Amino acid sequence: MFAAERRQLILEMVRANGAVSLRELARVVQTSEVTVRRDVRALEAEGLLDRRHGGAVLPGGFTRESGFPQKSHLATAEKTAIADLAAGLVEEGEAIVVGAGTTTQELARRLARVPGLTVVTNSLLVAQALAHANRVEVVMTGGTLRGSNYALVGSGAEQSLQGLRVSKAFLSGSGLTAERGLSTSNMLSASVDRALVQAAAEVVVLADHTKLGTDTMFQTVPTDVITRLVTDEPPPHDDRAATELQALADQGVQIAVAGASSPPGGEHLPAARQRGLPGPRRGQVPGGGLRGMLGDQSGGTERGRVADLRRR
C-alpha cells in the first residue's frame, strides 16, 4: 500500500471512530507501528488529526464520543486483558455497580462466574451479559434508554440509585487525566456515572492506554475519588502515557497494568504491575450482597484484596 493510500485509510478510521490506537491502525493498514506513527505525524502536520498517547484523535482538543459499533472494535485485546484483571477484584457475595461501556461489558461476561454476586447497572449490555448467570442477581436502574451506548440515563436512573450502597463501582469513560480524572462526552451519561460513584465505597476505573491523557467535556470521577485504575501496558516509546500513569499514582491512585510482568523494584507479578499503592481513601462496605446494598453497618472489615493488589 502506498503512503498516500495508507494515510487516507488512517484518516477515515479516525474520522469514523473519533480515536484509534496506533496498534489498531497498524493492524488495519497491515504495517508496523513505526510506519503508522510516521503517517500520523504527517497528518497532524496538515491539521487533519491530533496525536494522543499511543493513538490519533480528531483535531480540536476534546474528542467526541463514538457510538457503540465503533467502540466495540477498538482496542479489543486491551479491553479483554483489562477485564480479566478487573474480574479478580470481585469476590463471592459482593454487591457492586457496573457502568456502561464496552470494557465494562467485557468485565460483566467474566462476572457471570462469580457466585452470590449482585450487580446494579444502567447498561443493557452489562445486564445481557449476566442474564443467564445462575447465581448472579442483576438489578437494573430506571431511566431513559440512550441508544448510542445502550445505557439508561436521566432523572429516572439517578433517582433509582438514591440510598444505594455497594462495595465497588466499576466505570469506564472517554478519557482519563491526572488533572481532571475520568470524563465522558455526554452530559446525561456523566450525571448517571456520578450517581453510581456516590453509591460505592471504592471506585475502580477501567481504561485502556488510548484514553490516558485524553480529556473530554464532562467530568465523571475526580482523580481524588478514584481508588484503582486497571489499564493495559502502553506501547514502547509512549512516554506521555507513562507520565500520565505516574501522575495518577502520585495522586494516590492504585494502578494495575494488565500484561506487565516486572514492576519497578523487581517484584514479580504474573498478571499486573502496580504503581503507587496507598491505602483506600474511602472505607469498604461491610459484608456484601443485598446487605451491602441496604447499608448494613453491623460490622466487619473489607474482604481480602486480590493477591496482585496486595503487593507493594
Side-chain angles (χ1 to χ4, degrees), residues 85-100:
L85 184 55
L89 299 173
V90 182
E91 299 185 11
E92 291 186 22
E94 275 196 287
I96 63 174
V97 295
V98 179

Side-chain angles (χ1 to χ4, degrees), residues 4-20 25 28-29 43 48-49 58 64 70:
E5 296 174 322
R6 196 171 58 239
R7 291 172 186 175
Q8 182 61 35
L9 181 56
I10 290 171
L11 187 58
E12 289 174 358
M13 287 186 63
V14 175
R15 285 174 174 169
N17 299 302
V20 187
L25 290 172
V28 171
V29 301
L43 291 167
L48 298 174
L49 50 74
L58 292 174
R64 67 171 176 85
Q70 291 81 22

